[in-house]
Amino acid sequence: MKAWEQVFLTEICRPKQWPTITQEQLTEIGYPVYGANGVIGYFDRYNHEEPTILITCRGATCGTINVCESKSYVTGNAMALDNLDTLKVNQDYLAHFLKHKGFKYIITGAAQPQITLQSLGKYKIDLPPLPEQKRIADILDRADELRTKRRQAIEHLNELKKSIFLDMFGDPVTNSKGWVIKPLEQLVHEFRYGTSNKSGEKGYPTLRIPNVFQGELNFEEIKNVLVDDSEFHRLKLQEGDLLIVRTNGNQNYVGRCAVFETCRVIESGYDDNIFIYASYLIRLRLRNEVNSIYLRDFLLSQEGRRQLLSKSKTSAGQYNINTQGLGSINIPIPCPNLQKKYINRIVVISKQIKIYQLFFEQLNNLFSSLQDRAFKGELSKNDSLESILKNHAKNQNKQPESQL
């Protein structure tokens, strides 16, 4: 690192916890109120005239950084970095520095993590000259903006998928297009639980709860599980199988589902003919009357989730749904041709989402690299976001992200 000045955080600002207001005092209009994790409501007055850095100072998200907007009320669940010495430090630079360095070494309390004024007094900041702070903040701000735009593009495509579902099939809550409704048990050739064997070095690649995420299968962190031949043939996954999470301590995880698609398996570098699944998942092998992608998207819809959660039960802090509960869920059955048209449209959008997700991952890696270089003083005077993007694109053998 270059010879930058190092100061204690409390030398450049005055951290303060302001009085907390009750939930009953919050209003629907007025000045925004910031709690531990951002805006929680509104109030008839404010205690911060200008944007101010806030540090979540207690709870699971302890150490999270937010910046309140002008004329906001900040509660005692966040530590406000008041009276920032703007002659020595740029606020945007400081926010990026705090996010990058984190607060692990000053967080206290196991059951209830917290950051105190006393512990903040030990926190050190590396301060380059003010013009360099502004340059670093500008590069990181613009790189972060690219990440935000890519994230928003992915969110837009996911919302488009939901809109297409409603447009083609109507509102599942009211069954506005009058489709025939059948219980799921009549549409399934077989419900089957996965293996309860433990993972090890040898065995077959096995899908688990973490591999079922946002309606897709994630092939990272695949575990191997050894089973005998008969169990392998019972549990071997094939094209179109639907996997559903049957149990979890978080009720919102129960009912998460994804379709086993051999093309995705091959793209991930695995043999598509050797996958099995673990016991906390249920496999649905469907009859021809309903397509697995249509069924997945119905189960992920508001009405599908409502029915899934209503069928789940809790025991010893775990939420569960069994094959009987799944089988009793009522499914609207659009005509096969319409389901096929829907699948064709969804496949195109899903491919675009995959491309965007790849670019988003690249941008995340680039942003992390930029942070490391910036706070080690390794950004040269000639470095700009444009030049960095071009070099990154050249290394990735892809066009610059700014043109994507």
Side-chain angles (χ1 to χ4, degrees):
M1 178 183 290
K2 295 181 180 178
W4 289 351
E5 181 183 6
Q6 192 174 69
V7 300
F8 288 104
L9 179 62
T10 49
E11 293 181 64
I12 56 173
C13 65
R14 293 180 60 190
K16 179 175 179 178
Q17 286 178 272
W18 290 78
T20 297
I21 57 178
T22 65
Q23 191 72 27
E24 290 73 22
Q25 291 176 285
L26 296 176
T27 60
E28 294 183 1
I29 58 174
Y31 301 104
V33 176
Y34 282 78
N37 299 299
V39 176
I40 59 173
Y42 298 88
F43 197 42
D44 59 7
R45 59 184 178 273
Y46 59 88
N47 55 16
H48 282 76
E49 182 79 32
E50 301 294 336
T52 303
I53 295 174
L54 311 177
I55 305 172
T56 303
C57 55
R58 60 171 65 95
T61 58
C62 190
T64 300
I65 298 295
N66 289 290
V67 179
C68 72
E69 53 190 285
S70 300
K71 296 184 178 179
S72 298
Y73 191 99
V74 178
T75 71
N77 290 321
M79 193 81 70
L81 303 188
D82 293 341
N83 303 118
L84 186 66
D85 185 354
T86 55
L87 296 177
K88 290 193 68 173
V89 62
N90 174 270
Q91 180 165 272
D92 294 333
Y93 168 86
L94 180 59
H96 281 295
F97 182 91
L98 296 174
K99 289 176 184 178
H100 179 65
K101 183 175 181 179
F103 297 88
K104 286 185 179 180
Y105 76 96
I106 65 165
I107 291 177
T108 59
Q112 175 75 348
Q114 64 176 344
I115 294 173
T116 64
L117 282 171
Q118 183 179 7
S119 62
L120 276 181
K122 304 173 184 177
Y123 196 95
K124 292 182 178 181
I125 309 291
D126 298 317
L127 287 184
L130 197 57
E132 180 65 6
Q133 292 181 42
K134 292 177 180 178
R135 189 174 77 93
I136 290 172
D138 179 65
I139 290 175
L140 293 178
D141 281 343
R142 293 169 63 200
D144 197 30
E145 185 180 357
L146 286 177
R147 294 198 306 166
T148 300
K149 288 180 178 178
R150 186 63 70 204
R151 186 188 305 111
Q152 289 172 342
I154 294 170
E155 291 171 355
H156 171 73
L157 288 173
N158 280 319
E159 288 302 315
L160 179 59
K161 288 169 64 175
K162 296 177 184 178
S163 297
I164 291 172
F165 186 95
L166 291 173
D167 181 60
M168 295 184 70
F169 305 125
D171 185 353
V173 176
T174 61
N175 190 21
S176 56
K177 297 203 174 184
W179 305 116
V180 172
I181 293 179
K182 293 185 178 182
L184 184 54
E185 62 184 359
Q186 294 183 17
L187 306 173
V188 175
H189 173 70
E190 177 191 63
F191 291 104
R192 186 174 290 276
Y193 294 98
T195 180
S196 58
N197 290 359
K198 301 295 183 182
S199 62
E201 293 184 6
K202 298 180 180 180
Y204 297 99
T206 303
L207 295 173
R208 304 167 298 127
I209 290 177
N211 303 116
V212 180
F213 183 67
Q214 294 184 344
E216 303 284 348
L217 289 177
N218 183 320
F219 292 94
E220 297 179 3
E221 298 185 17
I222 296 294
K223 301 289 187 180
N224 295 320
V225 176
L226 192 61
V227 297
D228 60 33
D229 288 347
S230 61
E231 187 172 14
F232 170 71
H233 288 295
R234 286 196 302 271
L235 301 182
K236 185 168 76 74
L237 292 164
Q238 66 183 41
E239 177 72 26
D241 283 345
L242 184 67
L243 291 171
I244 297 182
V245 175
R246 70 175 181 87
T247 185
N248 200 268
N250 184 337
Q251 189 178 26
N252 291 325
Y253 284 20
V254 174
R256 291 196 314 191
C257 55
V259 177
F260 187 81
E261 299 174 89
T262 55
C263 62
R264 297 286 175 83
V265 181
I266 294 170
E267 287 172 1
S268 300
Y270 286 96
D271 184 338
D272 64 320
N273 204 36
I274 57 173
F275 266 89
I276 59 175
Y277 56 102
S279 60
Y280 288 162
L281 302 178
I282 299 176
R283 183 188 69 196
L284 280 62
R285 189 157 286 170
L286 305 177
R287 301 183 187 276
N288 294 331
E289 200 169 354
V290 65
N291 182 281
S292 55
I293 292 179
Y294 163 76
L295 179 58
R296 174 201 67 189
D297 291 351
F298 171 79
L299 293 175
L300 292 175
S301 72
Q302 183 178 357
E303 172 60 12
R305 292 296 301 164
R306 184 195 67 79
Q307 290 195 57
L308 276 164
L309 295 180
S310 72
K311 307 294 182 182
S312 67
K313 300 177 181 179
T314 180
S315 175
Q318 292 288 312
Y319 294 92
N320 302 273
I321 188 166
N322 56 26
T323 56
Q324 183 179 3
L326 282 174
S328 65
I329 293 174
N330 291 318
I331 311 295
I333 313 297
C335 61
N337 285 340
L338 193 61
Q339 289 188 50
K340 186 175 181 180
K341 288 180 180 178
Y342 172 73
I343 303 310
N344 290 338
R345 296 180 69 180
I346 292 303
V347 165
V348 172
I349 296 173
S350 295
K351 287 181 178 178
Q352 190 64 44
I353 290 174
K354 286 292 181 184
I355 293 172
Y356 277 22
Q357 286 174 333
L358 175 61
F359 292 153
F360 182 64
E361 182 179 339
Q362 291 175 357
L363 283 172
N364 278 337
N365 292 336
L366 174 63
F367 187 76
S368 179
S369 174
L370 276 175
Q371 285 182 312
D372 286 337
R373 291 176 58 195
F375 297 120
K376 289 179 181 177
E378 295 176 356
L379 290 181
S380 72
K381 294 294 183 182
N382 295 325
D383 278 333
S384 65
L385 183 60
E386 289 74 18
S387 66
I388 292 168
L389 284 170
K390 286 179 181 178
N391 288 333
H392 177 74
K394 184 178 180 180
N395 293 335
Q396 295 289 328
N397 196 26
K398 293 185 181 293
Q399 62 179 322
E401 293 290 349
S402 56
Q403 298 176 10
L404 294 174

